[in-house]
Amino acid sequence: AIAFLNTDHKMVHANLSPASLFVTDAGEWKLGGFHLLHPHGKVPANVRDNYTILPPQYRSPELKDARWGTLENMPVWTIDAWSLGCLIF
């Protein structure tokens, strides 16, 4: 789901944590928590104002430090790849 958002649609989920993952009764994994979803590029005000809903342990260093200009020039998957790595680790 993250690859679909990042690669196919150039969208950033920006809220990947255990709270945004769901497993159905059939055992299928689903992605939720789309509160911070936005197109790659300029980080919108709603993300800047609400990024703290993502628990600190899943925030990329750029997100932790609110380096918005840096994120705008990094690959689309920067925030989500960091969060996914934290989930796997």
Side-chain angles (χ1 to χ4, degrees):
I2 292 297
F4 175 77
L5 289 173
N6 290 168
T7 305
D8 296 348
H9 295 283
K10 306 296 184 233
M11 298 290 288
V12 181
H13 186 274
N15 189 23
L16 188 58
S17 71
S20 63
L21 299 174
F22 305 92
V23 181
T24 68
D25 291 338
E28 298 173 329
W29 289 70
K30 301 289 183 178
L31 180 63
F34 293 101
H35 308 82
L36 301 178
L37 181 72
H38 65 279
H40 182 254
K42 184 167 175 39
V43 180
N46 73 307
V47 174
R48 293 175 192 237
D49 296 342
N50 297 299
Y51 76 95
T52 57
I53 67 170
L54 180 63
Q57 64 268 34
Y58 300 103
R59 295 180 201 157
S60 70
E62 299 81 11
L63 196 59
K64 283 182 184 177
D65 297 338
R67 290 185 278 163
W68 309 119
T70 302
L71 282 170
E72 292 167 2
N73 297 309
M74 296 184 83
V76 64
W77 43 260
T78 300
I79 295 173
D80 295 335
W82 181 274
S83 298
L84 181 60
C86 293
L87 279 168
I88 293 170
F89 184 71

